[in-house]
Amino acid sequence: MLVYPSGVDVSSSALRFLTQQLRRHRRAIGSRWRRLSVGRQALLTLAHPRMGHTYTQLAAGFGIGTTTAYRYVTEAVELLAALAPGLTDAVRAASTKAYLILDGTLLPIDRIAADRPFYSGKHRKHGMNVQILADPFGRLLWASAALPGAVHDIRAAREHGIVDALTEADIPCWADKAYRGASGTVRIPYWGRWETLSSGRQAVNRSHAKIRTLVEKAVATLKSWRLLRKLRCSTTRITSLVQAALTLHLTSSG
């Protein structure tokens, strides 16, 4: 395989943070020698989700075996995922915000038509449903575990306990019509065809849409990790990848 230099557009603070976590982990498990230093393992791990490179490509670039590349990346991803904030922590940290924005996004996966639990009728493709909370400026605050794409947003929000957590914390939350029936502090647009709504309700829906569209910034932040734009791994690993990306984002932006 031909090897060429490449860049990874991730902040140096994220690299330093992951390097420190890996160094602590190696000390804890008593690992004395590895093919790659902690710094190189951290860079390898960042290159995988950020650039979407395969393990074969990473192995060639770092001069290690494919199995070793997989093992190193998996180890680091699990460390990062374990550091991601839970919903309770995220809601507590957001208690000073005027409101939050809730939305769901689909992470495409390579599945066939027979895999119906992963097929999203809304998006007309196979994928995993991830719920996202953003602040009033559209900054990513929290991302949920991944559920099969056939799960609707309102069901996903209930399964993750998002509606109850926001209501208990008394935090207003803007969401789209996919969350109809959520109640609590979740606010959705008025239901009905546009032409049948009163002028007052149309004005409310326009204002609601302006606020809610900011969540697209948070979705874009998550999907700036190119691996999440088209996942070809086991669906059981997707939650860890999402949580690892969330940890790295919060580390870099904090």
Side-chain angles (χ1 to χ4, degrees):
M1 177 176 290
L2 298 176
V3 180
Y4 63 93
S6 181
V8 182
D9 57 340
V10 178
S11 69
S12 58
S13 61
L15 179 63
R16 289 194 299 270
F17 174 78
L18 181 52
T19 299
Q20 292 170 357
Q21 297 303 317
L22 287 169
R23 184 176 292 112
R24 292 194 187 102
H25 176 68
R26 289 191 185 186
R27 288 173 181 169
I29 64 175
S31 179
R32 297 184 179 182
W33 183 86
R34 297 283 188 96
R35 289 291 304 276
L36 296 181
S37 66
V38 287
R40 294 288 285 173
Q41 183 182 355
L43 183 59
L44 169 77
T45 302
L46 293 176
H48 178 54
R50 192 66 170 190
M51 309 307 295
H53 291 163
T54 65
Y55 293 115
T56 301
Q57 292 171 319
L58 292 170
F62 284 81
I64 56 177
T66 303
T67 302
T68 302
Y70 172 83
R71 188 172 67 251
Y72 281 3
V73 170
T74 301
E75 177 183 51
V77 165
E78 289 177 354
L79 280 175
L80 290 170
L83 296 172
L87 178 60
T88 301
D89 294 330
V91 170
R92 185 184 303 113
S95 60
T96 57
K97 308 290 184 183
Y99 58 86
L100 297 180
I101 312 172
L102 170 65
D103 198 11
T105 188
L106 189 80
L107 303 181
I109 59 175
D110 59 341
R111 288 296 184 271
I112 59 176
D115 296 315
R116 298 303 298 177
F118 299 100
Y119 185 78
S120 169
K122 175 181 177 181
H123 298 277
R124 297 184 179 180
K125 63 177 68 173
H126 293 81
M128 300 294 284
N129 180 305
V130 173
Q131 298 293 298
I132 287 176
L133 284 174
D135 71 6
F137 298 96
R139 292 177 295 212
L140 177 64
L141 297 179
W142 179 80
S144 74
L147 294 175
V151 176
H152 296 288
D153 284 337
I154 179 60
R155 177 184 162 191
R158 284 172 173 159
E159 286 195 19
H160 294 307
I162 300 172
V163 177
D164 290 340
L166 292 173
T167 301
E168 183 177 345
D170 195 27
I171 301 177
C173 178
W174 268 251
D176 61 23
K177 293 180 180 179
Y179 296 90
R180 185 184 185 189
S183 67
T185 56
V186 177
R187 303 175 182 178
I188 65 169
Y190 283 110
W191 194 266
R193 296 174 62 87
W194 182 259
E195 59 272 16
T196 64
L197 296 176
S198 66
S199 58
R201 292 193 170 189
Q202 287 180 355
V204 169
N205 280 8
R206 287 195 194 96
S207 176
H208 189 285
K210 288 180 180 179
I211 294 172
R212 189 172 48 78
T213 52
L214 290 172
V215 76
E216 295 302 325
K217 290 175 59 179
V219 173
T221 295
L222 185 64
K223 292 187 177 181
S224 66
W225 301 88
R226 295 175 179 82
L227 187 69
L228 300 181
R229 300 176 192 174
K230 183 64 175 181
L231 289 151
R232 295 178 174 82
C233 62
S234 168
T235 55
T236 60
R237 295 189 59 234
I238 294 176
T239 291
S240 292
L241 289 168
V242 171
Q243 297 302 304
L246 175 63
T247 297
L248 289 170
H249 164 69
L250 296 176
T251 300
S252 302
S253 59

